[in-house]
Amino acid sequence: MTFGAMAAWQAWGLIAGAAALAAWLFLRKLRPPRLLVASLLLWQRVLDEPRALTLWERIRRAVSLALTILIAVALALAIARPTARSAAPAASRGRVLIVLDSSWSMLTDTRSGESRWERGVAEARRIAAAAAGTPTAIATTADGLVEGPTPDAVLLEAALERVSPSGGDPAAWPALAGADAVHFITDGATSRRVPDGVTVHSVFESAANVGITAFDVRPSLAPRNAADAYLEIANYGPAAQSVHLTITRGEATALDRHVSIAAGASLRQMVPFGRGGDSALRAHVEADQNALRIDDDAFAWMEHARPVSVTVVGQQTGWLRPLLAGDPDVRATFLDPSRYDLPVGDAAPAPPADLFIFDRWAPRDPPATPSLYVAPPADTPWLAASRADGIARAWDAAAEKTPRWEVPGTHAVVRGVDPLTFRIDQVHAYGAPGLTSVAQSARGTPLISVTDSSERRFVLLAFGPAESNLASAPGFPVLIGNAVEWLVRPDARPAQRSGLASFTPATGRVAGPEDREVPLARVPGAAMGRLRVPGLYTADAAGARSTFAVNVGEPQVSNTTQTSLNSSTGVRLVSAGASGHAWWVYGAAAAFALALIEWWTWQRRITV
């Protein structure tokens, strides 16, 4: 037995002192009050009358004394915080680091009713109690160091209550300078390299499980379908199981069936989804032997369920009509520039759109909506050169005749575009601040530029159909498709795992399930955020919104029957039980319950 709040001799002294004080207060005789009466004859007859005492009357004072002492001892235990002695070696004189594996598999239920995570937290409490008085730190494989190093047991307990499994990178490993003893509590489901000298505590216990190991959408080859969903369900158990599978699209049920999956087998299925309707998909499975619940649900987002609304503004936009009309994922509206600038309330204003394409024309003020500009007038005030370097670039661009685009770019807008298919006779020069060139001529003249900030997001082509073969170049559809995809869906991505994720610098807000905002850290060239729970996430950037899914299921997580730990290499097995609150909580609850019993029985004169 160890104590989390003080040394053992101090704790035992506190308990003994509390019991002695309670007994002394109970047995202390108080001077009775004096009362004058007219005669003692009546009282003498009552006192002299012989009466046999019952067993309870003879022992009830002792019972009250015992309850009083138990109340005091329970309160003392709540202060001393006793903990069962850990199987870990005695604490060193230096720092102690306790690392909890935050893999999703740690949520697997065990036969004792607790999860592996609860069992691991209980072991962490025992290790921290054994290191009482030693600076101790709490860390997880997902969040790194979360508390300490500190000898304060209250802070360590609060940290253990605060942390929870959240997946993460299996290669990450927290470190603490000066740590003489490092304890790693894990189930070994996620294979990772553990540094030398680390004491491994295993909470693994084999359990049967059914989970979704893969769920994602792929573009459909059928024009009438928006996407095909790929689903994989695995049965990690000793016997075949009947699995109830449901797939919902928004609020509507798209699939509801019962399937039988053999032991150790997987079910793989493709489910087509038509155009129109909700873009959100959710798959759910249910089975009798299912120890891990978090992999019972998986999510996906169909980007092309709803067509992109594009408004093309220009006077001679016929060269864009065949391209946009042939794409079922685009709904194009063509607008004359005279209608774009109509004030609110006038007839036929510019319709709302996901994307604007300005063909050889630009508005007085750039819209907040993502936009593609094709050879806009170079004298547009917000596009014209406003700095010395902008003027120099404009002069260089004007000086170059028939620029050649020879080197393919790496940016998403020009990725996959064959530059040799373009013939460019002349380019326009722009010197607006914030422009980044993603395609240049052999002499360095900007041909395609982008702006990616939290205020605006656009692609600028320095040449149009009149100065090049843009409309007939084989790379034209790829270029326009890339631009539309990059502008409308800045952070579009397939379903991914939880953990640290990178977003574009223009991303202003990322929100997860129930619209919970994800804190973002700004680093050069990216915004970083940690995705902690499975579900659908949205990323907002300069008027554009991307939606993507985070899923848990994968064979390494869902296979709760296997572990990478080997008991013969010195791994310490963690026993079941004691995974709830710390013992001091139960001590305080016991003291309250005993005090309530004593008060209730005293009110009814059962005890004294």
Side-chain angles (χ1 to χ4, degrees), residues 127-500:
I127 298 173
T134 303
T136 303
I138 303 295
T140 71
T141 55
D143 298 315
L145 201 66
V146 296
E147 188 58 72
T150 175
D152 192 331
V154 176
L155 294 178
L156 298 176
E157 176 64 29
L160 291 174
E161 290 286 346
R162 188 170 65 246
V163 295
S164 61
S166 56
D169 185 1
W173 180 261
L176 176 65
D180 290 343
V182 180
H183 302 271
F184 182 39
I185 304 172
T186 178
D187 61 355
T190 301
S191 179
R192 67 177 72 242
R193 184 183 179 279
V194 179
D196 296 335
V198 175
T199 302
V200 179
H201 303 253
S202 173
V203 295
F204 172 76
E205 182 180 295
S206 182
N209 180 54
V210 169
I212 301 175
T213 54
F215 187 54
D216 203 357
V217 292
R218 304 172 181 177
S220 178
L221 298 178
R224 65 179 182 275
N225 291 336
D228 294 330
Y230 173 74
L231 175 67
E232 182 179 280
I233 307 171
N235 174 22
Y236 297 105
Q241 291 203 67
S242 176
V243 179
H244 183 201
L245 165 65
T246 57
I247 299 179
T248 56
R249 181 176 186 178
E251 300 296 330
T253 300
L255 181 66
D256 189 341
R257 58 182 295 199
H258 290 266
V259 295
S260 179
I261 304 179
S266 297
L267 169 70
R268 299 174 177 87
Q269 185 168 355
M270 297 291 293
V271 183
F273 289 92
R275 297 185 181 276
D278 206 298
S279 298
L281 298 178
R282 177 180 178 179
H284 176 73
V285 294
E286 296 178 359
D288 292 336
Q289 297 184 19
N290 191 11
L292 184 61
R293 305 295 178 182
I294 199 167
D295 66 348
D296 293 348
D297 292 280
F299 306 85
W301 182 263
M302 295 186 296
E303 290 287 358
H304 302 289
R306 180 184 67 86
V308 176
S309 176
V310 178
T311 298
V312 183
V313 184
Q315 293 180 335
Q316 299 177 356
T317 57
W319 64 283
L320 283 169
R321 290 178 182 269
L323 175 66
L324 300 180
D327 190 344
D329 295 324
V330 173
R331 185 176 64 245
T333 301
F334 293 83
L335 195 69
D336 190 86
S338 61
R339 294 175 56 194
Y340 177 84
D341 286 328
L342 286 177
V344 177
D346 286 14
D354 300 318
L355 171 70
F356 280 107
I357 298 180
F358 296 102
D359 179 20
R360 289 163 286 180
W361 182 85
R364 293 189 302 268
D365 299 308
T369 304
S371 304
L372 168 61
Y373 296 90
V374 180
D379 59 353
T380 303
W382 57 274
L383 284 174
S386 58
R387 300 181 303 181
D389 60 339
I391 296 173
R393 281 187 295 162
W395 185 87
D396 291 341
E400 184 177 2
K401 301 299 183 181
T402 62
R404 292 182 58 83
W405 182 11
E406 298 177 346
V407 180
T410 59
H411 193 272
V413 172
V414 294
R415 190 175 300 147
V417 178
D418 185 359
L420 300 180
T421 63
F422 288 88
R423 187 196 72 251
I424 304 172
D425 299 326
Q426 185 181 358
V427 296
H428 298 268
Y430 307 95
L435 283 177
T436 301
S437 177
V438 297
Q440 300 177 347
S441 69
R443 289 179 52 184
T445 300
L447 303 177
I448 302 176
S449 302
V450 301
T451 287
D452 187 8
S453 67
S454 57
E455 293 79 20
R456 65 185 65 169
R457 182 180 178 87
F458 64 83
V459 175
L460 175 63
L461 302 186
F463 56 93
E467 302 90 8
S468 67
N469 68 335
L470 178 62
S472 60
F476 170 58
V478 181
L479 176 61
I480 299 300
N482 287 351
V484 171
E485 192 73 16
W486 183 79
L487 288 168
V488 176
R489 306 180 180 98
D491 280 305
R493 61 188 70 193
Q496 65 176 62
R497 297 175 57 187
S498 60
L500 196 63

Side-chain angles (χ1 to χ4, degrees), residues 535-598:
L536 292 176
Y537 286 74
T538 58
D540 297 323
R545 166 169 288 189
S546 300
T547 304
F548 59 94
V550 172
N551 289 328
V552 170
E554 59 173 306
Q556 195 175 30
V557 172
S558 298
N559 189 355
T560 56
T561 63
Q562 293 185 354
T563 179
S564 61
L565 301 178
N566 188 348
S567 59
S568 63
T569 59
V571 175
R572 300 174 182 272
L573 299 179
V574 180
S575 59
S579 59
H581 294 285
W583 286 21
W584 69 269
V585 177
Y586 300 113
F592 175 79
L594 291 173
L596 184 63
I597 293 172
E598 174 68 10

Side-chain angles (χ1 to χ4, degrees), residues 2 83-90 123 125-128 130 183 201 572:
T2 59
T83 306
R85 187 174 298 276
S86 172
E123 179 69 1
R125 289 194 179 103
R126 290 190 285 268
I127 298 173
H183 302 271
H201 303 253
R572 300 174 182 272

